[in-house]
């Protein structure tokens, strides 16, 4: 943000630059999410120009925006396109990997046609791998993606000539492309220090294909999604001439805390599970929307802090990566020895609506 | 376009305005899609200010854009939001209609969070109706939507505690919100006269729910989607600071014509149907991307002009409504007495990739 201000206001003297850094540091300390909750975040609109000397030395970064106020949306989308394509290349670098039946591309940060997913599939010659875009669903975007994946596999076995075995889901949440580096409003300073770039790839298998693979995973027991009444104004994400504007009201964590218990009870009941009886032994993958949201969900569900530790850890190590957050927690739970195979795993996430979306899984 | 030019260049005299109209008329005659192919189109960024006197009297329209060069993307999205919400209200005006299990909102023209679909569901108190966005898939967008709908219903019966019975699909292709009214490039004049606003709602039922309803419909037999090799540059749709920019290369119809026969043969084979044997008795719902695309598909598949008449009719009466086009043709086929129940119905559409997506249905 300091570098953007130097450029925007043509600030060249060392003294002036120090004043700008102090000003921004003051705002950040007052309004930003503290390093106690988020230790590091990926912000790919900044490229290091020399080895970083100290956290205060902003001059060691260069902005990938050509205009200090941030490029127009077309140039931001071009930056997104390049970055997301690279994510696909890295996600499929394993040699000899056969093409999946389908790829679901998840994002709330960049929309192109052809999309990076379509370009990648075309360049690989995977002409029969169907690409489905699951866009603009915000922080709970992993849930629409997994219900689409379950649908593609489940319905192919139930009603179509050929059963599908493997659907890959790739999230490219390049959120920093939408940063407004000159903003000084408190809510913008919150979102600027909370959201982070996040990229993740995982796979939905048919039950038979998973069983043959020797892999661990999460099996669907129930899915549920619901809108909290009269909460439309709490969160928003809207494309504008320069960036997608995000808004997050202060009351949101409380609102989620008030409704989470009833939601989870009802989700578990669908699968014949009594949540209050079983909660001590369950694994939890709660979307780390922010430190206060985790507090509210922990208290609303009557959990110990230790039960939501995987969510705190992902927030601390990566920030809020929107839809890419929850899959990082699923990975930790699947790989964790402290959550035995056979455990129930509850996962919930939140986004505009205010929408609460969740799944009950069994670790298999 | 004339009204925008008057405003942008501050043209007030009657003589000057006539010159502008003649200039635009000349460009349109040379590059635009002719009235022989498209007789009328919905362009909802124009509001009539007095009863229309004659087709040449451009002054009888008022632009809903506040800026003659067209508003910024945020204002266009706000216009989209209002219009799309109204579409939901009109689509659900039947009194006493119970909420659907799910709503799939399809668009390549507007992305908001909360979306008009979420706002509508929240305002109705349909808090348990899951909203899934199927955005930015272009003109073949009805196919991702129906495969998601099939998936939601099929997988719920196959792998979840409660089987879903009804998934509504609502397309809001408010394409005119992205018109560049001052453009003079030939390809922009083609897209400006080809694309039209289109809105449509239809429903996916489980087989049991449809059987009990007494309705006619289309039953899935097979689905297929494929990218034509090395065709990435042919079509694109990209968000910019003002509008989503569409591009359509001249060679696209030929490219589709060259690959359509093999695609359709292979799609039909999946369901054990020999296309060349059965094509004389089938119904056809071909996306009317433009007059030349219909010529190419007709010739590529060896069809008579009469077999693609429903596509010509939708193009003539509405223009190319992107993803909302093919559902209008499905409706005509479902309601037509010349396509008997039990007929095979082949449907294909095209979009960036270049992607060809298709379904084989049985009319039931």
């Amino acid at each position: 943000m300091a570098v953007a201000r130097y450029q925007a206001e043509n600030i060249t003297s060392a003294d002036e630059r120090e004043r700008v850094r102090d000003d921004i540091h003051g705002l950040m300390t007052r309004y930003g999410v503290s390093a106690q909750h988020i230790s590091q975040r990926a912000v790919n609109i900044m490229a290091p120009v020399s080895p970083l000397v100290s956290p205060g030395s902003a001059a060691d970064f260069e902005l990938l925006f050509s205009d200090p106020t941030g490029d127009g949306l077309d140039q931001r989308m071009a930056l997104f396109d390049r970055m997301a394509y690279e994510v696909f290349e890295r996600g499929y670098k394993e040699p000899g990997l056969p093409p999946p039946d389908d790829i679901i591309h998840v994002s709330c940060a960049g929309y192109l046609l052809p999309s990076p997913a379509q370009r990648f599939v075309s360049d690989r010659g995977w002409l029969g791998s169907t690409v489905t875009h699951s866009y603009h669903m915000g922080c709970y975007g992993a849930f629409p993606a997994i219900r689409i994946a379950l649908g593609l596999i489940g319905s192919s076995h139930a009603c179509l000539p050929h059963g599908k075995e493997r659907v890959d889901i790739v999230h490219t949440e390049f959120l920093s492309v939408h940063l407004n580096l000159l903003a000084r409003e408190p809510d913008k300073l919150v979102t600027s220090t909370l959201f982070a770039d996040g990229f993740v790839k995982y796979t939905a298998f048919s039950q038979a294909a998973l069983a043959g693979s020797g892999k661990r995973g999460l099996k669907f027991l129930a899915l549920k999604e619901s809108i909290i009444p009269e909460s439309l104004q709490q969160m928003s994400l809207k494309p504008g001439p320069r960036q997608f504007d995000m808004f997050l009201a202060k009351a949101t964590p409380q609102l989620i805390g008030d409704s989470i218990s009833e939601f989870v009870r009802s989700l578990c009941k669908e699968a014949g599970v009594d949540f209050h009886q079983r909660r001590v032994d369950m694994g939890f993958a709660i979307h780390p929307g922010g430190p206060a949201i985790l507090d509210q969900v922990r208290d609303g569900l009557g959990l110990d802090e230790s039960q939501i530790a995987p969510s705190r850890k992902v927030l601390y190590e990566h920030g809020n990566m929107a839809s890419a957050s929850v899959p990082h927690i699923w990975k930790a739970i699947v790989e964790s020895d402290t959550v035995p195979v056979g455990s129930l795993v509850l996962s919930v996430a939140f986004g505009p609506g205010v929408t609460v979306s969740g799944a009950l899984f069994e670790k298999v």
Side-chain angles (χ1 to χ4, degrees), chain A:
Chain A
M1 294 173 107
V3 172
R5 282 268 290 280
Y6 303 161
Q7 290 181 16
E9 298 170 23
N10 195 23
I11 297 168
T12 50
S13 86
D15 278 9
E16 271 290 296
R17 287 188 168 197
E18 198 178 328
R19 265 201 327 121
V20 166
R21 283 205 299 279
D22 286 350
D23 172 51
I24 290 172
H25 191 260
L27 286 169
M28 283 297 184
T29 307
R30 183 152 174 206
Y31 299 112
V33 179
S34 87
Q36 176 199 345
H37 298 297
I38 299 178
S39 64
Q40 57 183 4
R41 297 179 304 136
V43 179
N44 286 288
I45 52 158
M46 296 193 304
V49 289
S50 64
L52 187 63
V53 182
S54 79
S57 61
D60 289 302
F61 286 103
E62 187 178 41
L63 290 175
L64 294 184
F65 290 140
S66 54
D67 174 348
T69 61
D71 285 337
L73 193 60
D74 45 352
Q75 286 159 292
R76 292 178 193 245
M77 289 295 106
L79 205 56
F80 174 90
D81 199 16
R82 286 208 305 276
M83 165 74 71
Y85 189 88
E86 209 181 299
V87 168
F88 277 93
E89 281 184 321
R90 288 169 63 176
Y92 288 96
K93 66 176 179 234
E94 190 186 318
L97 195 69
D101 290 308
D102 292 76
I103 293 178
I104 299 173
H105 180 212
V106 187
S107 186
C108 63
Y111 314 132
L112 295 134
L113 272 174
S115 67
Q118 290 173 317
R119 291 202 295 120
F120 176 75
V121 156
S122 177
D123 288 347
R124 278 279 171 112
W126 291 354
L127 304 174
S129 293
T130 304
V131 172
T132 302
H133 297 162
S134 185
Y135 291 169
H136 214 66
M137 305 242 41
C139 290
Y140 67 100
F143 290 93
I146 61 172
R147 74 172 172 257
I148 292 171
L150 176 71
L152 291 171
I153 293 177
S155 68
S156 73
H157 287 267
C159 353
L160 291 173
H162 297 295
K164 296 182 172 192
E165 303 303 338
R166 185 179 137 225
V167 174
D168 288 343
I169 302 174
V170 180
H171 295 238
T172 60
E173 296 293 23
F174 184 8
L175 302 180
S176 65
V177 84
H178 298 292
L179 271 181
N180 179 348
L181 293 163
L182 299 176
R184 296 172 62 86
E185 301 87 350
D187 75 291
K188 292 277 179 292
L189 291 163
V190 172
T191 52
S192 293
T193 53
L194 176 62
F195 289 105
D197 300 339
F199 309 96
V200 63
K201 170 181 166 246
Y202 50 104
T203 298
F205 292 100
S206 70
Q207 221 164 317
L210 184 75
S213 74
K215 288 180 201 287
R216 286 185 179 175
L218 299 169
K219 178 186 164 181
F220 286 95
L221 299 181
L223 283 168
K224 185 178 168 70
E225 191 170 295
S226 186
I227 288 181
I228 298 174
E230 288 166 34
S231 63
L232 289 167
Q233 311 303 322
Q234 293 290 317
M235 284 192 215
S236 64
L237 178 67
K238 298 178 182 183
R242 289 190 174 275
Q243 62 264 110
F244 292 3
D245 281 314
M246 297 188 206
F247 171 74
L248 192 57
K250 267 194 139 167
T252 308
Q254 177 75 54
L255 200 75
I256 290 168
D258 289 347
S259 62
I260 194 68
S261 170
E262 174 54 27
F263 176 86
V264 164
R265 199 195 54 74
S266 156
L267 164 62
C268 290
K269 200 180 163 197
E270 287 212 2
V273 169
D274 182 325
F275 175 68
H276 289 282
Q277 215 165 49
R278 301 294 304 274
R279 65 184 160 186
V280 286
D281 297 322
M282 287 167 83
F284 290 91
I286 313 298
H287 172 62
I293 286 179
L294 288 178
D295 293 347
Q296 286 285 343
V297 172
R298 178 198 58 207
D299 296 348
L301 295 181
L303 305 179
D304 290 335
E305 179 61 28
S306 66
Q307 291 179 282
I308 60 158
S311 296
R312 294 271 188 214
K313 188 163 186 278
V314 164
L315 184 65
Y316 187 72
E317 291 176 356
H318 302 284
N320 178 344
M321 300 173 285
S323 76
S325 304
V326 145
H328 279 81
I329 307 171
W330 296 340
K331 180 173 189 287
I333 288 176
V334 165
E335 292 173 354
S336 162
D337 290 329
T338 66
V339 182
V341 167
S343 298
L344 294 173
V345 176
L346 178 89
S347 186
V348 285
F350 327 98
V354 171
T355 302
V356 183
S357 199
L360 184 67
F361 301 113
E362 179 191 337
K363 181 168 167 178
V364 291

